[in-house]
Amino acid sequence: MGRLAKARHVCRLPKYARFEPQPDEAKAPVRMEVEDFECIRLIDYLGMTQEECAVQMGVARTTVQAIYTRARRRLAGALVEGRPLTITGGNFKVCTQTQAACRQSCYAPLPHTPAALSADPADSSAILEEKKGRAFMRLAIPYDGSQIFQHFGKSEQFKLYEITDGAVTGSRLLASSGAGHGALVTLLQQEHVDVLICGGIGAGAQNALKEAGIRLFGGVQGDADQAAADFVAGRLAYDPAVHCEHHGTGEGDGHGCHHHQS
């Protein structure tokens, strides 16, 4: 008799467990297990490495590799063949935040907050819910006139918004040197910024924001005040896969990014 496979830690059951193609014809669904979904969420959505994903799920990296390969094949099959996708079953246990592997990518309540996250951490309504126990949360947007400046690494000023009880209650301008993402992230951290809304931003800046505990909503264009209002209302349109195409690598210190409006 073979050894029982170790249960995989998942943050919670998926909020959306079934996806349907256009109803042209009836086809058998593709079944994705809960740990498949969790692996996709951690690696493809949150940008974790396979090593980080393995720690989060409490399994070996080889196990993560196998789950990830299986999950992507199932997802591709559903997309290419136009079959319904269901997420159910598997060998997992839902995180209670008592495991050593548990991190802030979990959906469960954080120790310093009174309320649970009701959605993914990258969802604005979830972040607002998480911050209710604080006097306010602070939102920053690279600012150019009234517009969102599109090159994070060269931002010369930010507009800071204070949000209290689900409403913008104040704002002010913050000057910066525009001297690269490292100095800018440090500046935002010193200002106790919780969330950054921006346009183009490179991988280096994204990693620095993650380390500083600042949530990122990238790929946003247009009026800064409107973006802040949309964030508060939970309707902000953003790109979770935003990147900066510049010199073939991520955004470097002293460089802007070539993320232009079309």
Side-chain angles (χ1 to χ4, degrees):
M1 181 177 178
R3 185 179 65 179
L4 292 175
K6 184 178 180 180
R8 291 85 190 219
H9 297 165
V10 302
C11 288
R12 77 163 192 188
L13 296 178
K15 184 177 181 180
Y16 307 103
R18 185 174 176 87
F19 300 86
E20 298 278 358
Q22 293 178 350
D24 296 330
E25 55 183 303
K27 293 184 178 181
V30 173
R31 186 175 76 90
M32 176 180 284
E33 296 174 359
V34 173
E35 59 263 38
D36 296 350
F37 167 83
E38 184 72 349
C39 200
I40 291 289
R41 185 182 77 87
L42 295 175
I43 295 177
D44 288 339
Y45 186 69
L46 293 184
M48 286 190 180
T49 65
Q50 290 188 1
E51 291 88 349
E52 290 171 333
C53 179
V55 172
Q56 178 75 18
M57 296 182 71
V59 295
R61 181 184 174 186
T62 53
T63 301
V64 163
Q65 289 175 328
I67 295 173
Y68 186 58
T69 299
R70 179 183 72 194
R72 288 181 67 109
R73 284 180 178 173
R74 289 172 173 172
L75 184 59
L79 293 175
V80 173
E81 298 172 16
R83 297 166 60 187
L85 176 68
T86 61
I87 305 170
T88 183
N91 179 22
F92 66 92
K93 56 183 178 181
V94 178
C95 178
T96 61
Q97 279 218 318
T98 59
Q99 298 101 330
C102 186
R103 300 196 232 173
Q104 289 187 3
S105 51
C106 280
Y107 296 104
L110 298 179
H112 60 281
T113 57
L117 295 183
S118 60
D120 192 274
D123 181 87
S124 60
S125 60
I127 297 174
L128 289 169
E129 179 69 16
E130 177 191 348
K131 302 294 183 183
K132 280 183 179 178
R134 297 174 52 177
F136 62 85
M137 66 176 293
R138 186 162 289 160
L139 166 69
I141 300 180
Y143 197 67
D144 182 19
S146 63
Q147 301 295 298
I148 301 172
F149 185 63
Q150 290 296 303
H151 312 278
F152 176 77
K154 287 190 174 182
S155 301
E156 295 185 354
Q157 62 178 346
F158 293 90
K159 191 165 185 178
L160 303 185
Y161 299 83
E162 293 184 356
I163 300 172
T164 307
D165 295 329
V168 175
T169 55
S171 64
R172 64 183 173 89
L173 294 180
L174 173 68
S176 68
S177 63
H181 72 252
L184 296 176
V185 172
T186 298
L187 176 64
L188 296 179
Q189 191 174 24
Q190 291 172 344
E191 292 290 330
H192 306 291
V193 168
D194 300 294
V195 173
L196 171 71
I197 293 174
C198 70
I201 183 169
Q206 293 186 42
N207 290 335
L209 288 167
K210 184 177 179 180
E211 292 176 1
I214 299 173
R215 306 282 180 87
L216 169 66
F217 290 75
V220 183
Q221 301 181 19
D223 184 81
D225 290 349
Q226 185 61 54
D230 289 344
F231 172 82
V232 170
R235 60 172 181 261
L236 179 68
Y238 69 100
D239 180 5
V242 65
H243 66 286
C244 172
E245 296 177 354
H246 123 88
H247 300 307
T249 61
E251 180 181 338
D253 289 339
H255 293 284
C257 80
H258 298 163
H259 177 93
H260 295 289
Q261 299 183 23
S262 56

